[in-house]
């Protein structure tokens, strides 16, 4: 990975190599961090950050769940995101705001200082080159998601990604592009780091947030774009076998964007390539950046605001 030059850390821009933390930081020992993943895109109006305000709000919501008081305002974090993109001259940037319990107290309930960083780097398709067109082969993981009364899936916290690592690593080890997890109920939840949509008879189906999943901003974006385009959207319990019966499946997320799934557990989905609803949503989504889809919800935030 090619590291960029600059990182925002605790209120100042620093060279990448100097944005460090102590080995005894609480977060490193106990997973006590919350973060976001945000993308920037080039548009005819200049570079934009996609749904910056919604991501920053979710960062603060995640922190609130864990009683972490971020010592900056939403506006300060938004400004840091813009500055990191500008300084590093990123065109297709992936921003990583991160708030974590630092050094200064031991024990699980310690009120350590909250350190905050915003890093960014250049990032293409997350699940590999060409996957947005070709799709990936996915499998249902042998690992389930955490039950709702254990670790809240509504927080985007570092510790949650122990679950994601088990799911993603198992999938890669077995030769799949990504793993899909069931919730502790046995019903479909989401991908290791992506939300999941199934298509039946032209309608989008996705599991509700109670199925141990992250309430994704891309998920919300696609549900909104689909409804506006007259595509029915249904949030419902989904049993595993629907993966084998539906016409199309895709994953979505900030990093994964809209990644078609061509097979699940070795069984071909639909025609084994991106189906018409998946392609329509890709057009609508990427159309936001090339101007084919009007930005009627004000989702595009100019980097040079
Ligand atoms: N689920 C998980 C577990 C994730 O890590 C992500 C990526 N943040 C998503 C879903 C998709 O969320 P978003 O669209 O907000 O990036």
């Amino acid at each position: 990975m090619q590291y960029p030059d600059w990182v925002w850390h605790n209120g100042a821009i620093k060279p990448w190599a100097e944005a460090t933390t102590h080995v005894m930081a609480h977060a490193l020992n106990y997973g006590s961090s919350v973060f976001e993943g945000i993308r920037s895109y080039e548009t005819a109006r200049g570079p934009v950050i996609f749904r910056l305000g919604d991501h920053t709000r979710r960062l603060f919501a995640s922190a609130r769940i864990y009683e972490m008081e971020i010592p900056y305002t939403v506006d300060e974090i938004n400004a840091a995101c813009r500055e990191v993109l500008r300084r590093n001259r990123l065109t297709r940037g992936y921003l990583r705001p991160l708030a974590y319990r630092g050094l200064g107290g031991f024990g699980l309930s310690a009120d350590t200082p909250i350190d905050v960083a915003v890093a960014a780097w250049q990032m293409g398709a997350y699940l590999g080159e060409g996957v947005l067109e070709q799709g990936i082969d996915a499998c249902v993981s042998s690992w389930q998601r955490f039950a709702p009364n254990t670790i809240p899936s509504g927080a985007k916290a570092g510790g949650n990604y122990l679950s994601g690592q088990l799911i993603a690593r198992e999938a890669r080890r077995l030769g799949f592009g990504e793993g899909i997890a069931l919730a502790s109920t046995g019903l479909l939840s989401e991908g290791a780091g992506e939300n999941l949509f199934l298509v039946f008879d032209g309608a989008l189906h996705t599991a509700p947030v109670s199925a141990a999943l992250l309430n994704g901003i891309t998920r919300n974006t696609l549900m909104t774009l689909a409804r506006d385009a007259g595509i029915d959207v249904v949030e419902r319990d989904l049993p595993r076998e629907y993966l084998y019966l539906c016409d199309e499946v895709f994953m979505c997320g900030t990093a994964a964007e809209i990644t078609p799934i061509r097979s699940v557990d070795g069984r071909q989905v639909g025609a084994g390539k991106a189906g018409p609803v998946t392609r329509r949503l890709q057009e609508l989504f990427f159309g936001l950046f090339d101007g084919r889809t009007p930005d009627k919800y004000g989702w595009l935030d100019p980097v040079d605001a």
Side-chain angles (χ1 to χ4, degrees):
M1 176 171 166
Q2 174 113 36
Y3 297 128
D5 294 336
W6 304 102
V7 175
W8 184 96
H9 192 203
N10 290 334
I13 289 280
K14 298 178 180 176
W16 179 277
E18 288 171 27
T20 57
T21 193
H22 196 273
V23 291
M24 288 314 297
H26 196 276
L28 201 50
N29 287 266
Y30 301 125
S32 40
S33 66
V34 295
F35 67 98
E36 278 302 314
I38 314 174
R39 272 196 190 263
S40 73
Y41 292 89
E42 290 289 329
T43 73
R45 293 192 290 141
V48 298
I49 306 177
F50 187 60
R51 299 192 67 169
L52 174 62
D54 294 316
H55 280 284
T56 308
R57 266 191 290 283
R58 189 171 66 184
L59 179 74
F60 279 76
S62 299
R64 185 177 167 79
I65 290 170
Y66 285 101
E67 301 179 53
M68 293 167 62
E69 189 118 5
I70 296 179
Y72 301 96
T73 63
V74 168
D75 287 348
E76 285 169 322
I77 302 295
N78 289 344
C81 289
R82 292 196 180 89
E83 188 172 1
V84 166
L85 287 175
R86 271 198 302 265
R87 286 273 196 139
N88 290 306
R89 299 176 197 286
L90 301 176
T91 49
R92 192 152 155 55
Y94 182 81
L95 277 158
R96 169 51 53 83
L98 173 71
Y100 58 99
R101 290 205 174 274
L103 191 63
F106 291 102
L108 295 177
S109 62
D111 273 323
T112 67
I114 305 299
D115 291 329
V116 184
V118 180
W121 55 92
Q122 196 75 10
M123 189 159 90
Y126 169 63
L127 293 169
E129 277 317 307
V131 298
L132 300 185
E133 300 80 31
Q134 291 151 29
I136 58 163
D137 301 305
C139 62
V140 173
S141 182
S142 69
W143 292 100
Q144 287 185 337
R145 279 296 193 199
F146 26 86
N149 58 346
T150 58
I151 292 175
S153 66
K156 193 167 166 62
N160 295 17
Y161 288 81
L162 291 171
S163 160
Q165 288 174 59
L166 290 170
I167 296 162
R169 295 188 69 92
E170 180 187 63
R172 304 287 142 75
R173 190 174 351 98
L174 297 175
F176 293 96
E178 186 58 297
I180 296 169
L182 305 179
S184 59
T185 54
L187 297 168
L188 281 178
S189 175
E190 61 175 347
E194 310 83 8
N195 291 124
L196 188 69
F197 280 93
L198 279 59
V199 178
F200 283 99
D201 297 327
L204 278 182
H205 295 243
T206 197
V209 290
S210 52
L213 52 86
L214 183 71
N215 189 359
I217 290 169
T218 318
R219 176 181 181 274
N220 171 269
T221 301
L222 298 184
M223 290 165 85
T224 306
L225 291 175
R227 285 187 175 124
D228 288 356
I231 299 170
D232 285 336
V233 182
V234 194
E235 268 183 285
R236 54 171 300 196
D237 288 343
L238 290 165
R240 171 179 180 166
E241 64 271 24
Y242 278 24
L243 289 168
Y244 312 140
L245 301 174
C246 61
D247 307 317
E248 303 176 35
V249 189
F250 63 86
M251 285 180 167
C252 74
T254 298
E257 296 171 312
I258 303 171
T259 303
I261 296 181
R262 58 188 178 204
S263 75
V264 181
D265 295 336
R267 300 162 186 239
Q268 182 173 305
V269 179
K273 56 182 193 186
V277 176
T278 307
R279 278 189 279 111
R280 178 82 184 110
L281 289 169
Q282 285 181 328
E283 265 167 35
L284 289 167
F285 178 75
F286 290 109
L288 288 163
F289 313 113
D290 64 22
R292 283 174 303 158
T293 305
D295 177 27
K296 71 180 209 192
Y297 300 100
W299 286 334
L300 308 188
D301 218 301
V303 173
D304 301 313

